[in-house]
């Protein structure tokens, strides 16, 4: 009997201990110091540490130092992220519309501004910089964020760097920027879709590549800067000669843009210097023509022309490529002549880039390798010997989104009817080209 009573007491004790163990485990999971969750000062929600993991380029600290939250198209405010974990989306084409950033480090603050659709940089408006958890951007307007700048403040700012990287429409993940540098794009209408932010001790290595953290489209205002005409009073003031010159005219924002302006000043002056000779020849032709031919020109609105039209063909990666179509025509001739001129510039320095600056091959190989590219066109109307002779580091070219276009004007390597022979070298041809995104340091 005693043994049965002892076994019963032992069984009761086991049951009681099992009943007590379950709530104790539940309570343990709710303790704020549990490493599975971390409460953050001022954060609306705890930051799950299961999500704060090592990303492709950044290892998240065990205790978050930088917290950020984004407002996303079709989703609203996402939960807070920390230390390199992506906030936003990737592959959904959703725009970021707003962002809040804060830091948990004592005596360290953060200020930030965004480049917003239809608004621009906030500091250039009455919106100004935002700080320590305030919203930058908009809510309810469906405006995309396009760029961002972030800086550290406070007595500890000198001891840390803040790094940030954005995922931009049509580009993907861009390079890392830091300490107030611009990240993203401006002028293209590309939306930001995601962002990563980390705070590291001052002087630490970048979390990843810093190549092309920001891409800005330069505003290129084209203007007709010279226009004139010559009339013949004997024929009801018929316009016998027409002059027109179009070019980019910048409001210089830096020395590089000022240098490009000066370059086009020189081109315009060269063009104007040809006006007297062209005018004399045009008027000689006109004065010697019969009345019948003159009346025919008037009827069909034919006139001597000396005109230049300009257009932009590439404007990104701190590279600006522009064309000018230089047209001349004497009435009575079989046809006019279009000469295409093209120039590509580093927008930071204003220096013009030659074709040889873009090629990855040795300059001694330019003639043979690019002649082979023209040969691959399989056109019997192009004289490859002439192509070979005229190619070199300073050969004519321009940039497009598709690649580097090397060209010849009419008559240079083929007859007039053959047009303008051109090859396009895609940027993926690293056997011929340097990476476009690294051409400007």
């Amino acid at each position: 009997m005693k043994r049965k009573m002892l076994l019963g007491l032992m069984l009761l004790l086991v049951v009681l201990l099992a009943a007590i163990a379950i709530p104790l485990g539940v309570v343990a999971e709710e303790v704020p110091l549990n490493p599975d969750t971390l409460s953050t000062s001022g954060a609306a929600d705890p930051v799950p540490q299961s999500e704060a993991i090592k990303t492709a380029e950044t290892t998240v600290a065990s205790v978050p130092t930088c917290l950020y939250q984004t407002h996303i198209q079709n989703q609203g405010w996402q939960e807070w992220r920390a230390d390199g974990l992506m906030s936003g989306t990737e592959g959904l084409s959703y725009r970021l519309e707003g962002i809040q950033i804060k830091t948990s480090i004592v005596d360290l603050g953060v200020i930030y501004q965004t480049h917003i659709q239809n608004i621009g940089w906030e500091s250039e408006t009455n919106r100004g910089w935002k700080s320590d958890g305030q919203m930058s951007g908009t809510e309810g307007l469906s405006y995309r964020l396009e760029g961002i700048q972030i800086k550290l403040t406070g007595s500890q700012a000198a001891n840390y760097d803040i790094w940030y990287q954005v995922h931009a429409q049509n580009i993907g993940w861009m390079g890392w920027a830091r300490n107030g540098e611009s990240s993203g794009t401006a002028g293209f209408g590309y939306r930001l879709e995601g962002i990563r932010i980390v705070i590291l001790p001052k002087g630490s290595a970048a979390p990843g590549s810093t190549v092309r953290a920001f891409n800005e489209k330069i505003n290129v205002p084209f203007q007709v800067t010279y226009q004139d005409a010559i009339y013949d009073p004997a024929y009801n003031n018929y316009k016998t000669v027409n002059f027109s010159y179009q070019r980019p005219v910048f409001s210089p924002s830096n020395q590089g843009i000022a240098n490009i302006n000066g370059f086009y000043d020189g081109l315009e002056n060269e063009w104007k210097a040809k006006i007297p000779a062209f005018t004399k020849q045009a008027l000689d032709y006109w004065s010697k023509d019969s009345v019948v031919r003159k009346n025919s020109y008037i009827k069909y609105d034919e006139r001597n022309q000396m005109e230049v039209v300009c257009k932009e063909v590439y404007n990104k990666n701190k590279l600006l490529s522009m064309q000018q179509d230089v047209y001349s025509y004497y009435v009575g001739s079989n046809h006019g002549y279009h000469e295409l001129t093209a120039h590509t510039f580093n927008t930071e320095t204003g220096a013009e880039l030659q074709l040889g600056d873009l090629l990855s091959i040795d300059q001694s190989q330019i003639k043979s390798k690019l002649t082979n590219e023209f040969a691959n066109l399989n056109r019997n109307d192009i004289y490859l010997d002439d192509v070979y002779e005229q190619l070199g580091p300073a050969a004519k070219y321009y940039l497009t989104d598709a690649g580097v276009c090397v060209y010849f004007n009419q008559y240079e390597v083929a007859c007039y009817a053959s047009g303008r022979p051109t090859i396009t070298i895609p940027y993926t041809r690293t056997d011929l080209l340097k990476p476009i995104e690294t051409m400007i340091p």
Side-chain angles (χ1 to χ4, degrees):
M1 176 67 75
K2 289 183 179 180
R3 187 169 61 180
K4 288 184 178 180
M5 290 179 61
L6 181 60
L7 289 174
L9 289 173
M10 291 177 65
L11 179 61
L12 179 61
L13 180 61
V14 169
V15 172
L16 289 174
L17 288 174
I20 294 171
I22 294 173
L24 283 176
V26 173
V27 171
E29 291 180 3
E30 294 175 348
V31 173
L33 296 179
N34 187 295
D36 289 340
T37 58
L38 282 178
S39 297
T40 55
S41 176
D45 299 300
V47 180
Q49 284 297 290
S50 59
E51 294 183 359
I53 59 175
K54 183 176 180 180
T55 65
E57 296 177 314
T58 305
T59 301
V60 176
S62 58
V63 177
T65 58
C66 185
L67 304 163
Y68 41 98
Q69 181 185 41
T70 56
H71 188 278
I72 305 168
Q73 174 188 356
N74 296 337
Q75 294 187 3
W77 285 104
Q78 198 175 55
E79 63 185 24
W80 289 86
R81 297 291 193 258
D83 297 329
L85 188 68
M86 183 186 77
S87 182
T89 63
E90 187 174 357
L92 297 178
S93 300
Y94 290 170
R95 63 182 173 266
L96 297 189
E97 298 178 354
I99 188 169
Q100 299 171 341
I101 309 171
K102 61 179 68 175
T103 173
S104 61
I105 299 175
V106 176
D107 296 327
L108 187 69
V110 60
I111 62 173
Y112 43 96
Q113 67 158 334
T114 52
H115 190 281
I116 307 169
Q117 175 187 359
N118 298 332
I119 294 175
W121 288 110
E122 289 180 295
S123 66
E124 298 174 2
T125 71
N126 58 7
R127 301 170 63 90
W129 289 79
K130 308 303 180 188
S131 63
D132 301 316
Q134 293 179 326
M135 185 187 77
S136 176
T138 64
E139 188 174 356
L141 296 178
S142 299
Y143 289 171
R144 64 180 171 267
L145 299 187
E146 300 176 357
I148 190 168
Q149 297 173 341
I150 311 174
K151 300 178 183 180
L152 294 175
T153 61
S155 60
Q156 287 295 313
N159 297 323
Y160 294 93
D161 293 318
I162 187 163
W163 291 89
Y164 39 101
Q165 179 193 39
V166 299
H167 188 282
Q169 176 187 359
N170 296 332
I171 298 176
W173 285 107
M174 303 183 71
W176 287 84
R178 66 172 172 174
N179 300 341
E181 295 173 343
S182 297
S183 178
T185 69
F188 295 98
Y190 293 170
R191 64 181 171 267
L192 295 189
E193 299 177 355
I195 188 169
R196 298 167 174 158
I197 309 174
V198 293
I199 295 176
L200 299 175
K202 176 65 72 175
S204 297
S209 172
T210 59
V211 174
R212 289 291 171 269
F214 183 67
N215 201 344
E216 182 175 15
K217 186 174 184 179
I218 303 298
N219 181 37
V220 184
F222 292 112
Q223 293 182 22
V224 175
T225 54
Y226 183 89
Q227 198 162 26
D228 200 3
I230 297 175
Y231 301 85
D232 187 345
Y235 286 84
N236 295 319
N237 283 324
Y238 169 69
K239 186 189 294 186
T240 61
V241 188
N242 189 66
F243 303 99
S244 179
Y245 191 89
Q246 186 186 47
R247 53 163 287 189
V249 179
F250 298 95
S251 299
S253 55
N254 58 39
Q255 188 58 49
I257 298 300
N259 291 341
I260 297 173
N261 240 2
F263 180 91
Y264 277 96
D265 287 342
L267 289 185
E268 182 175 359
N269 290 334
E270 290 177 11
W271 180 84
K272 288 178 179 178
K274 300 175 182 178
I275 290 177
F278 182 90
T279 301
K280 182 179 184 304
Q281 189 169 352
L283 293 180
D284 284 346
Y285 286 161
W286 175 256
S287 64
K288 292 175 183 177
D289 272 334
S290 66
V291 172
V292 173
R293 287 174 63 88
K294 289 179 180 178
N295 286 333
S296 175
Y297 300 149
I298 294 170
K299 178 180 179 181
Y300 294 103
D301 197 26
E302 290 187 70
R303 65 193 65 155
N304 300 282
Q305 296 182 60
M306 187 175 166
E307 300 176 332
V308 176
V309 177
C310 193
K311 72 175 182 179
E312 166 194 314
V313 288
Y314 189 87
N315 185 346
K316 62 179 69 171
N317 296 315
K318 299 182 182 179
L319 297 173
L320 177 62
S321 192
M322 290 178 288
Q323 296 177 347
Q324 281 186 310
D325 180 16
V326 183
Y327 179 67
S328 57
Y329 173 68
Y330 293 106
V331 293
S333 58
N334 292 330
H335 55 72
Y337 181 66
H338 290 270
E339 179 185 9
L340 181 67
T341 65
H343 303 280
T344 299
F345 302 93
N346 173 342
T347 57
E348 288 191 328
T349 66
E352 183 180 10
L353 298 177
Q354 300 295 324
L355 176 63
D357 298 325
L358 279 60
L359 297 174
S360 60
I361 57 178
D362 187 88
Q363 296 200 356
S364 64
Q365 299 179 303
I366 293 176
K367 287 181 176 292
S368 59
K369 287 187 175 292
L370 295 192
T371 298
N372 288 337
E373 297 298 316
F374 276 94
N376 290 337
L377 296 176
N378 293 318
R379 288 178 52 174
N380 295 327
D381 57 337
I382 298 176
Y383 303 110
L384 293 178
D385 288 344
D386 291 341
V387 170
Y388 182 88
E389 288 302 320
Q390 296 183 53
L391 283 173
K396 292 184 283 291
Y397 82 97
Y398 54 88
L399 302 182
T400 67
D401 286 340
V404 178
C405 301
V406 183
Y407 71 95
F408 293 96
N409 280 309
Q410 294 162 311
Y411 292 124
E412 290 183 334
V413 297
C415 64
Y416 177 84
S418 296
R420 187 178 294 122
T422 304
I423 57 170
T424 299
I425 308 172
Y427 297 121
T428 54
R429 289 286 303 275
T430 54
D431 59 317
L432 293 176
L433 298 176
K434 298 175 183 177
I436 188 75
E437 70 275 6
T438 61
M439 288 183 183
I440 307 300

